[in-house]
Amino acid sequence: MAKPLASIVSAGLSKFGKREGVSGRELFVEAFKEAMERCPSLDPRKDIQALIIGQMSESFEHQCHIAPITSDWAGLLPTPAVRTEVACASSAAAIRYGVLAVMSGVYDVVLVGGVEKMTNRTTPEATEYLGMAADFPMEQWNGVTFPGLFALMATAHMHKYGTTEEQMALIAVKNHHNATLNPKAHMRKEVTVEQVLNSRMIAWPLKLFDCSLISDGAACAVITRPELARKFTDTPIQIIGSGHGSDTIGLYEREDLTSLMAVYRAASEAYKMAGVEPSDIDVAEVHDCFTIAEIMAYEALGFCKPGEGGRLIEDGVTTLDGSLPVNPSGGLKAKGHPIGATGAAQLYEIYLQLIGEAGDRQVDGCEVGLTQNLGGSGASCLIHIYRRD
Amino acid sequence: MDEEKPLTIEQFYKFIGEKRLMAVRCEGCGALFIPPRTICNRCLSKDLEWVEVKNRGKLITYTVIYVPPVQFQSMAPYAYGIIQLEDGPRIPGMIRNVEPGDIEIGMELIVDFEEEKDGEQEQQGRQGWPRWPRYFFRPP
Ligand SMILES: [Zn+2]
């Protein structure tokens, strides 16, 4: 395994859900307070030298310029702050550029994270704002939605590989179960395959329970240069790989609609940098914005061969007691998907798993973890690989 | 005459208003693009020009959208798909004049053009959206 790029010395997560009356900046402070409580030897104003925060859309709260706001509300001013945006992968981008910032030597300690406030809007409004991450002139213009884009991939995957609606439903069943074990999850409720299959149609073949939740939430992490990590904590988690892939914004321009090339590209970079293989991963948080996306992630991450993602969930490999638990947190599906917070929330879960504080959903003995955060219909993907020190 | 038209998305939709499906062809490698670009993303040539393409293609994948964005609420549910044109490029769009249950991957579809009047009606509720003419797919 490669030497660490950077170390995580603390992390925090707000409660996810319909957080009525709580604004984005307040959600971020909630996550920030947890990160500070976990790391008493860190003096926030003295030690944190920059804040990089992901947010997808200013439309929800009619509020741009979130970075200095969160720096101010966290009591960090005059700490400089900047926002990263690559749709749903916005906060994984914050993590990557935070890692690069400490690697550059310019900063010793950086706060990274993300936030999105969404439930103050109606479903059609939220659908429209989320749709803005799709291509305007050809896709939005013709009436596509995000569930619609993933439905196009699901239809193609079903046609090419025989993937079934039942296999997609099993992803929802697994992730809902995991969320019942996560006190911060948005929806802590078991669902059955029948319930998923009989739920309201959103974009055929995707039904309500194939879709992730519209949630409010925030997440953050403190990262530092590896040689400084022990100054702040006895249990640093090392970031050993980081990968970033891009693809066409238009789904229609991609040669193969059943493969997410940005994920393959990011995975190849991250695995190479980390010096690990897919078989070395003990636990992963992947981008299950729709059930088909988790199946396609298995394939692109090398957890199985192309076309065999449906079989992998059917065989129980990725359940909490399987050989490769995926989305122990409940995933975007049931923990919730406050867009800009998702990448950092994935990191938070892997951090808890690797320090052994994941409670009832703890994956025993895990040492190497992975997060995969997808932007839009796959024009961006960021992947990070972590290990216990 | 077409050679002088700008290689812009705006111009692509002006052609749609004239019921012409236009692509740009890269003179370096022959690739066709819809909508137009001014740098070929395959060979990086900057020598591209408008060509008319046949309005026939085959359905690659599709969905039926039940929960639409605000601007399309009066039309839901509607079918939406990606077709591969006979001449090569792929384009996405709404599929009309066919029951969702009768839609199949591989079926032949043609690109048709909305009458301008319909287009104007549809523009209601689309604040801040461009006033482009529309194309859609239907069985031949
Ligand atoms: Zn070319």
PDB file of all heavy atoms in Angstrom, chain B residues 6 13 21-22 36-38 59 63 65 69 81 87 89 91 101 105-108 110 115 117 120 125-126 128-129 134:
ATOM      1  N   PRO B   6     -23.603  30.519 -38.150  1.00  0.00           N
ATOM      2  CA  PRO B   6     -22.697  30.235 -37.035  1.00  0.00           C
ATOM      3  C   PRO B   6     -22.883  28.812 -36.486  1.00  0.00           C
ATOM      4  O   PRO B   6     -24.000  28.288 -36.540  1.00  0.00           O
ATOM      5  CB  PRO B   6     -23.107  31.270 -35.984  1.00  0.00           C
ATOM      6  CG  PRO B   6     -24.494  31.679 -36.344  1.00  0.00           C
ATOM      7  CD  PRO B   6     -24.599  31.546 -37.835  1.00  0.00           C
ATOM      8  N   TYR B  13     -31.235  25.219 -33.430  1.00  0.00           N
ATOM      9  CA  TYR B  13     -32.685  25.309 -33.221  1.00  0.00           C
ATOM     10  C   TYR B  13     -33.365  26.195 -34.269  1.00  0.00           C
ATOM     11  O   TYR B  13     -34.541  25.992 -34.571  1.00  0.00           O
ATOM     12  CB  TYR B  13     -32.998  25.747 -31.788  1.00  0.00           C
ATOM     13  CG  TYR B  13     -32.923  24.569 -30.831  1.00  0.00           C
ATOM     14  CD1 TYR B  13     -31.859  24.414 -29.933  1.00  0.00           C
ATOM     15  CD2 TYR B  13     -33.898  23.586 -30.861  1.00  0.00           C
ATOM     16  CE1 TYR B  13     -31.790  23.318 -29.088  1.00  0.00           C
ATOM     17  CE2 TYR B  13     -33.835  22.480 -30.021  1.00  0.00           C
ATOM     18  CZ  TYR B  13     -32.779  22.351 -29.128  1.00  0.00           C
ATOM     19  OH  TYR B  13     -32.718  21.253 -28.312  1.00  0.00           O
ATOM     20  N   LEU B  21     -33.015  18.927 -39.792  1.00  0.00           N
ATOM     21  CA  LEU B  21     -32.157  18.386 -38.747  1.00  0.00           C
ATOM     22  C   LEU B  21     -30.707  18.512 -39.218  1.00  0.00           C
ATOM     23  O   LEU B  21     -30.303  17.840 -40.163  1.00  0.00           O
ATOM     24  CB  LEU B  21     -32.514  16.923 -38.457  1.00  0.00           C
ATOM     25  CG  LEU B  21     -31.734  16.258 -37.329  1.00  0.00           C
ATOM     26  CD1 LEU B  21     -31.979  16.957 -35.993  1.00  0.00           C
ATOM     27  CD2 LEU B  21     -32.088  14.776 -37.222  1.00  0.00           C
ATOM     28  N   MET B  22     -29.967  19.404 -38.579  1.00  0.00           N
ATOM     29  CA  MET B  22     -28.614  19.718 -39.034  1.00  0.00           C
ATOM     30  C   MET B  22     -27.576  19.288 -37.989  1.00  0.00           C
ATOM     31  O   MET B  22     -27.769  19.488 -36.789  1.00  0.00           O
ATOM     32  CB  MET B  22     -28.478  21.226 -39.272  1.00  0.00           C
ATOM     33  CG  MET B  22     -29.416  21.784 -40.337  1.00  0.00           C
ATOM     34  SD  MET B  22     -29.015  21.246 -42.014  1.00  0.00           S
ATOM     35  CE  MET B  22     -27.572  22.263 -42.359  1.00  0.00           C
ATOM     36  N   PRO B  36     -24.029  21.426 -32.478  1.00  0.00           N
ATOM     37  CA  PRO B  36     -22.736  21.755 -33.073  1.00  0.00           C
ATOM     38  C   PRO B  36     -21.673  22.115 -32.025  1.00  0.00           C
ATOM     39  O   PRO B  36     -21.998  22.542 -30.926  1.00  0.00           O
ATOM     40  CB  PRO B  36     -23.053  22.983 -33.924  1.00  0.00           C
ATOM     41  CG  PRO B  36     -24.252  23.583 -33.302  1.00  0.00           C
ATOM     42  CD  PRO B  36     -25.061  22.430 -32.794  1.00  0.00           C
ATOM     43  N   ARG B  37     -20.430  21.883 -32.406  1.00  0.00           N
ATOM     44  CA  ARG B  37     -19.280  22.308 -31.615  1.00  0.00           C
ATOM     45  C   ARG B  37     -18.334  23.025 -32.567  1.00  0.00           C
ATOM     46  O   ARG B  37     -18.471  22.874 -33.781  1.00  0.00           O
ATOM     47  CB  ARG B  37     -18.507  21.107 -31.062  1.00  0.00           C
ATOM     48  CG  ARG B  37     -19.294  20.201 -30.193  1.00  0.00           C
ATOM     49  CD  ARG B  37     -18.560  18.868 -30.026  1.00  0.00           C
ATOM     50  NE  ARG B  37     -19.257  18.052 -29.039  1.00  0.00           N
ATOM     51  CZ  ARG B  37     -18.820  17.861 -27.793  1.00  0.00           C
ATOM     52  NH1 ARG B  37     -17.665  18.358 -27.401  1.00  0.00           N
ATOM     53  NH2 ARG B  37     -19.507  17.136 -26.943  1.00  0.00           N
ATOM     54  N   THR B  38     -17.364  23.714 -32.027  1.00  0.00           N
ATOM     55  CA  THR B  38     -16.398  24.375 -32.911  1.00  0.00           C
ATOM     56  C   THR B  38     -14.995  23.793 -32.752  1.00  0.00           C
ATOM     57  O   THR B  38     -14.067  24.216 -33.439  1.00  0.00           O
ATOM     58  CB  THR B  38     -16.360  25.899 -32.671  1.00  0.00           C
ATOM     59  OG1 THR B  38     -16.084  26.125 -31.297  1.00  0.00           O
ATOM     60  CG2 THR B  38     -17.688  26.539 -33.026  1.00  0.00           C
ATOM     61  N   LEU B  59     -34.219   3.458 -31.842  1.00  0.00           N
ATOM     62  CA  LEU B  59     -34.251   3.745 -30.409  1.00  0.00           C
ATOM     63  C   LEU B  59     -33.190   2.923 -29.672  1.00  0.00           C
ATOM     64  O   LEU B  59     -33.136   1.693 -29.808  1.00  0.00           O
ATOM     65  CB  LEU B  59     -35.650   3.437 -29.850  1.00  0.00           C
ATOM     66  CG  LEU B  59     -35.903   3.851 -28.411  1.00  0.00           C
ATOM     67  CD1 LEU B  59     -35.817   5.365 -28.242  1.00  0.00           C
ATOM     68  CD2 LEU B  59     -37.261   3.333 -27.931  1.00  0.00           C
ATOM     69  N   THR B  63     -37.403   5.797 -21.454  1.00  0.00           N
ATOM     70  CA  THR B  63     -38.058   5.793 -20.149  1.00  0.00           C
ATOM     71  C   THR B  63     -39.420   6.447 -20.337  1.00  0.00           C
ATOM     72  O   THR B  63     -39.696   7.014 -21.398  1.00  0.00           O
ATOM     73  CB  THR B  63     -37.219   6.560 -19.108  1.00  0.00           C
ATOM     74  OG1 THR B  63     -37.920   6.586 -17.848  1.00  0.00           O
ATOM     75  CG2 THR B  63     -36.957   8.011 -19.519  1.00  0.00           C
ATOM     76  N   ILE B  65     -41.555   9.228 -18.216  1.00  0.00           N
ATOM     77  CA  ILE B  65     -41.413  10.134 -17.086  1.00  0.00           C
ATOM     78  C   ILE B  65     -42.787  10.476 -16.501  1.00  0.00           C
ATOM     79  O   ILE B  65     -43.649  11.013 -17.197  1.00  0.00           O
ATOM     80  CB  ILE B  65     -40.618  11.386 -17.512  1.00  0.00           C
ATOM     81  CG1 ILE B  65     -39.181  10.955 -17.822  1.00  0.00           C
ATOM     82  CG2 ILE B  65     -40.661  12.464 -16.421  1.00  0.00           C
ATOM     83  CD1 ILE B  65     -38.283  12.032 -18.358  1.00  0.00           C
ATOM     84  N   PRO B  69     -40.297  17.912 -14.536  1.00  0.00           N
ATOM     85  CA  PRO B  69     -39.969  19.239 -14.017  1.00  0.00           C
ATOM     86  C   PRO B  69     -41.204  20.150 -14.166  1.00  0.00           C
ATOM     87  O   PRO B  69     -42.101  19.827 -14.954  1.00  0.00           O
ATOM     88  CB  PRO B  69     -38.852  19.734 -14.937  1.00  0.00           C
ATOM     89  CG  PRO B  69     -38.421  18.559 -15.738  1.00  0.00           C
ATOM     90  CD  PRO B  69     -39.557  17.601 -15.760  1.00  0.00           C
ATOM     91  N   GLY B  81     -36.566   9.250 -24.975  1.00  0.00           N
ATOM     92  CA  GLY B  81     -35.571   8.250 -25.341  1.00  0.00           C
ATOM     93  C   GLY B  81     -34.374   8.852 -26.047  1.00  0.00           C
ATOM     94  O   GLY B  81     -34.303  10.067 -26.274  1.00  0.00           O
ATOM     95  N   ASP B  87     -27.451   8.398 -39.840  1.00  0.00           N
ATOM     96  CA  ASP B  87     -26.177   9.011 -40.223  1.00  0.00           C
ATOM     97  C   ASP B  87     -25.131   8.991 -39.099  1.00  0.00           C
ATOM     98  O   ASP B  87     -24.026   9.507 -39.280  1.00  0.00           O
ATOM     99  CB  ASP B  87     -26.415  10.453 -40.684  1.00  0.00           C
ATOM    100  CG  ASP B  87     -27.134  10.507 -42.028  1.00  0.00           C
ATOM    101  OD1 ASP B  87     -26.899   9.591 -42.852  1.00  0.00           O
ATOM    102  OD2 ASP B  87     -27.933  11.435 -42.242  1.00  0.00           O
ATOM    103  N   PRO B  89     -24.966  10.272 -35.488  1.00  0.00           N
ATOM    104  CA  PRO B  89     -25.070  10.874 -34.156  1.00  0.00           C
ATOM    105  C   PRO B  89     -26.289  10.373 -33.379  1.00  0.00           C
ATOM    106  O   PRO B  89     -27.244   9.872 -33.976  1.00  0.00           O
ATOM    107  CB  PRO B  89     -25.220  12.376 -34.442  1.00  0.00           C
ATOM    108  CG  PRO B  89     -25.003  12.575 -35.883  1.00  0.00           C
ATOM    109  CD  PRO B  89     -25.105  11.260 -36.564  1.00  0.00           C
ATOM    110  N   ILE B  91     -29.273  11.481 -30.573  1.00  0.00           N
ATOM    111  CA  ILE B  91     -29.924  12.624 -29.934  1.00  0.00           C
ATOM    112  C   ILE B  91     -31.044  12.145 -29.013  1.00  0.00           C
ATOM    113  O   ILE B  91     -31.659  11.108 -29.263  1.00  0.00           O
ATOM    114  CB  ILE B  91     -30.490  13.664 -30.952  1.00  0.00           C
ATOM    115  CG1 ILE B  91     -31.448  13.010 -31.943  1.00  0.00           C
ATOM    116  CG2 ILE B  91     -29.368  14.381 -31.673  1.00  0.00           C
ATOM    117  CD1 ILE B  91     -32.200  14.043 -32.794  1.00  0.00           C
ATOM    118  N   GLY B 101     -46.460   1.209 -23.780  1.00  0.00           N
ATOM    119  CA  GLY B 101     -46.329  -0.253 -23.806  1.00  0.00           C
ATOM    120  C   GLY B 101     -45.844  -0.793 -25.152  1.00  0.00           C
ATOM    121  O   GLY B 101     -45.385  -1.922 -25.245  1.00  0.00           O
ATOM    122  N   ILE B 105     -36.827  -1.045 -27.534  1.00  0.00           N
ATOM    123  CA  ILE B 105     -35.467  -0.737 -27.972  1.00  0.00           C
ATOM    124  C   ILE B 105     -35.275  -1.325 -29.373  1.00  0.00           C
ATOM    125  O   ILE B 105     -35.702  -2.444 -29.625  1.00  0.00           O
ATOM    126  CB  ILE B 105     -34.436  -1.309 -26.977  1.00  0.00           C
ATOM    127  CG1 ILE B 105     -34.504  -0.527 -25.652  1.00  0.00           C
ATOM    128  CG2 ILE B 105     -33.026  -1.278 -27.569  1.00  0.00           C
ATOM    129  CD1 ILE B 105     -33.574  -1.013 -24.574  1.00  0.00           C
ATOM    130  N   GLY B 106     -34.660  -0.542 -30.260  1.00  0.00           N
ATOM    131  CA  GLY B 106     -34.420  -1.017 -31.620  1.00  0.00           C
ATOM    132  C   GLY B 106     -35.479  -0.552 -32.610  1.00  0.00           C
ATOM    133  O   GLY B 106     -35.290  -0.660 -33.822  1.00  0.00           O
ATOM    134  N   MET B 107     -36.606  -0.027 -32.116  1.00  0.00           N
ATOM    135  CA  MET B 107     -37.669   0.377 -33.050  1.00  0.00           C
ATOM    136  C   MET B 107     -37.241   1.591 -33.864  1.00  0.00           C
ATOM    137  O   MET B 107     -36.432   2.403 -33.426  1.00  0.00           O
ATOM    138  CB  MET B 107     -38.986   0.656 -32.303  1.00  0.00           C
ATOM    139  CG  MET B 107     -39.046   1.968 -31.551  1.00  0.00           C
ATOM    140  SD  MET B 107     -40.501   2.116 -30.461  1.00  0.00           S
ATOM    141  CE  MET B 107     -41.834   2.243 -31.642  1.00  0.00           C
ATOM    142  N   GLU B 108     -37.798   1.683 -35.072  1.00  0.00           N
ATOM    143  CA  GLU B 108     -37.492   2.807 -35.961  1.00  0.00           C
ATOM    144  C   GLU B 108     -38.302   4.023 -35.542  1.00  0.00           C
ATOM    145  O   GLU B 108     -39.503   3.907 -35.303  1.00  0.00           O
ATOM    146  CB  GLU B 108     -37.891   2.444 -37.405  1.00  0.00           C
ATOM    147  CG  GLU B 108     -37.158   1.258 -37.960  1.00  0.00           C
ATOM    148  CD  GLU B 108     -36.170   1.675 -39.036  1.00  0.00           C
ATOM    149  OE1 GLU B 108     -36.074   2.878 -39.329  1.00  0.00           O
ATOM    150  OE2 GLU B 108     -35.478   0.778 -39.562  1.00  0.00           O
ATOM    151  N   ILE B 110     -38.737   8.436 -36.381  1.00  0.00           N
ATOM    152  CA  ILE B 110     -38.281   9.574 -37.168  1.00  0.00           C
ATOM    153  C   ILE B 110     -38.346  10.839 -36.322  1.00  0.00           C
ATOM    154  O   ILE B 110     -39.095  10.919 -35.347  1.00  0.00           O
ATOM    155  CB  ILE B 110     -39.063   9.753 -38.492  1.00  0.00           C
ATOM    156  CG1 ILE B 110     -40.540   9.995 -38.225  1.00  0.00           C
ATOM    157  CG2 ILE B 110     -38.872   8.566 -39.399  1.00  0.00           C
ATOM    158  CD1 ILE B 110     -41.268  10.437 -39.473  1.00  0.00           C
ATOM    159  N   GLU B 115     -45.180  22.211 -34.876  1.00  0.00           N
ATOM    160  CA  GLU B 115     -45.628  23.441 -35.525  1.00  0.00           C
ATOM    161  C   GLU B 115     -45.373  24.591 -34.561  1.00  0.00           C
ATOM    162  O   GLU B 115     -45.498  24.431 -33.349  1.00  0.00           O
ATOM    163  CB  GLU B 115     -47.124  23.352 -35.857  1.00  0.00           C
ATOM    164  CG  GLU B 115     -47.456  22.286 -36.896  1.00  0.00           C
ATOM    165  CD  GLU B 115     -46.690  22.460 -38.208  1.00  0.00           C
ATOM    166  OE1 GLU B 115     -46.465  23.615 -38.620  1.00  0.00           O
ATOM    167  OE2 GLU B 115     -46.296  21.439 -38.809  1.00  0.00           O
ATOM    168  N   LYS B 117     -46.944  27.149 -33.691  1.00  0.00           N
ATOM    169  CA  LYS B 117     -48.048  27.553 -32.828  1.00  0.00           C
ATOM    170  C   LYS B 117     -48.051  26.744 -31.525  1.00  0.00           C
ATOM    171  O   LYS B 117     -48.130  27.295 -30.437  1.00  0.00           O
ATOM    172  CB  LYS B 117     -49.373  27.354 -33.578  1.00  0.00           C
ATOM    173  CG  LYS B 117     -50.531  28.085 -32.966  1.00  0.00           C
ATOM    174  CD  LYS B 117     -51.687  28.203 -33.965  1.00  0.00           C
ATOM    175  CE  LYS B 117     -52.982  28.495 -33.229  1.00  0.00           C
ATOM    176  NZ  LYS B 117     -53.873  27.343 -33.124  1.00  0.00           N
ATOM    177  N   GLU B 120     -45.359  27.774 -29.150  1.00  0.00           N
ATOM    178  CA  GLU B 120     -45.616  28.982 -28.379  1.00  0.00           C
ATOM    179  C   GLU B 120     -46.473  28.696 -27.156  1.00  0.00           C
ATOM    180  O   GLU B 120     -46.223  29.180 -26.073  1.00  0.00           O
ATOM    181  CB  GLU B 120     -46.317  30.030 -29.251  1.00  0.00           C
ATOM    182  CG  GLU B 120     -45.342  30.854 -30.073  1.00  0.00           C
ATOM    183  CD  GLU B 120     -46.057  31.715 -31.099  1.00  0.00           C
ATOM    184  OE1 GLU B 120     -47.198  32.103 -30.858  1.00  0.00           O
ATOM    185  OE2 GLU B 120     -45.441  31.971 -32.140  1.00  0.00           O
ATOM    186  N   GLY B 125     -45.148  29.234 -18.818  1.00  0.00           N
ATOM    187  CA  GLY B 125     -44.626  28.644 -17.597  1.00  0.00           C
ATOM    188  C   GLY B 125     -43.145  28.346 -17.662  1.00  0.00           C
ATOM    189  O   GLY B 125     -42.587  27.789 -16.737  1.00  0.00           O
ATOM    190  N   ARG B 126     -42.503  28.674 -18.765  1.00  0.00           N
ATOM    191  CA  ARG B 126     -41.058  28.421 -18.840  1.00  0.00           C
ATOM    192  C   ARG B 126     -40.303  29.728 -18.776  1.00  0.00           C
ATOM    193  O   ARG B 126     -39.671  30.161 -19.724  1.00  0.00           O
ATOM    194  CB  ARG B 126     -40.720  27.689 -20.138  1.00  0.00           C
ATOM    195  CG  ARG B 126     -41.275  26.298 -20.153  1.00  0.00           C
ATOM    196  CD  ARG B 126     -40.678  25.496 -21.276  1.00  0.00           C
ATOM    197  NE  ARG B 126     -41.295  24.174 -21.270  1.00  0.00           N
ATOM    198  CZ  ARG B 126     -42.040  23.702 -22.247  1.00  0.00           C
ATOM    199  NH1 ARG B 126     -42.234  24.410 -23.332  1.00  0.00           N
ATOM    200  NH2 ARG B 126     -42.568  22.511 -22.163  1.00  0.00           N
ATOM    201  N   GLY B 128     -37.730  32.441 -18.439  1.00  0.00           N
ATOM    202  CA  GLY B 128     -36.282  32.473 -18.580  1.00  0.00           C
ATOM    203  C   GLY B 128     -35.748  31.431 -19.539  1.00  0.00           C
ATOM    204  O   GLY B 128     -34.552  31.349 -19.758  1.00  0.00           O
ATOM    205  N   TRP B 129     -36.627  30.614 -20.126  1.00  0.00           N
ATOM    206  CA  TRP B 129     -36.158  29.609 -21.080  1.00  0.00           C
ATOM    207  C   TRP B 129     -36.122  30.221 -22.472  1.00  0.00           C
ATOM    208  O   TRP B 129     -36.936  31.098 -22.779  1.00  0.00           O
ATOM    209  CB  TRP B 129     -37.072  28.378 -21.043  1.00  0.00           C
ATOM    210  CG  TRP B 129     -36.796  27.472 -19.890  1.00  0.00           C
ATOM    211  CD1 TRP B 129     -36.479  27.857 -18.620  1.00  0.00           C
ATOM    212  CD2 TRP B 129     -36.804  26.043 -19.887  1.00  0.00           C
ATOM    213  NE1 TRP B 129     -36.287  26.753 -17.824  1.00  0.00           N
ATOM    214  CE2 TRP B 129     -36.487  25.618 -18.582  1.00  0.00           C
ATOM    215  CE3 TRP B 129     -37.050  25.067 -20.855  1.00  0.00           C
ATOM    216  CZ2 TRP B 129     -36.405  24.272 -18.229  1.00  0.00           C
ATOM    217  CZ3 TRP B 129     -36.974  23.726 -20.488  1.00  0.00           C
ATOM    218  CH2 TRP B 129     -36.650  23.330 -19.195  1.00  0.00           C
ATOM    219  N   ARG B 134     -39.192  23.157 -31.476  1.00  0.00           N
ATOM    220  CA  ARG B 134     -38.951  21.820 -30.912  1.00  0.00           C
ATOM    221  C   ARG B 134     -39.014  20.718 -31.957  1.00  0.00           C
ATOM    222  O   ARG B 134     -39.791  20.774 -32.888  1.00  0.00           O
ATOM    223  CB  ARG B 134     -40.012  21.505 -29.861  1.00  0.00           C
ATOM    224  CG  ARG B 134     -39.858  22.300 -28.628  1.00  0.00           C
ATOM    225  CD  ARG B 134     -40.874  21.915 -27.576  1.00  0.00           C
ATOM    226  NE  ARG B 134     -40.489  22.610 -26.367  1.00  0.00           N
ATOM    227  CZ  ARG B 134     -39.586  22.164 -25.518  1.00  0.00           C
ATOM    228  NH1 ARG B 134     -39.032  20.974 -25.681  1.00  0.00           N
ATOM    229  NH2 ARG B 134     -39.247  22.889 -24.468  1.00  0.00           N
TER     230      ARG B 134
END
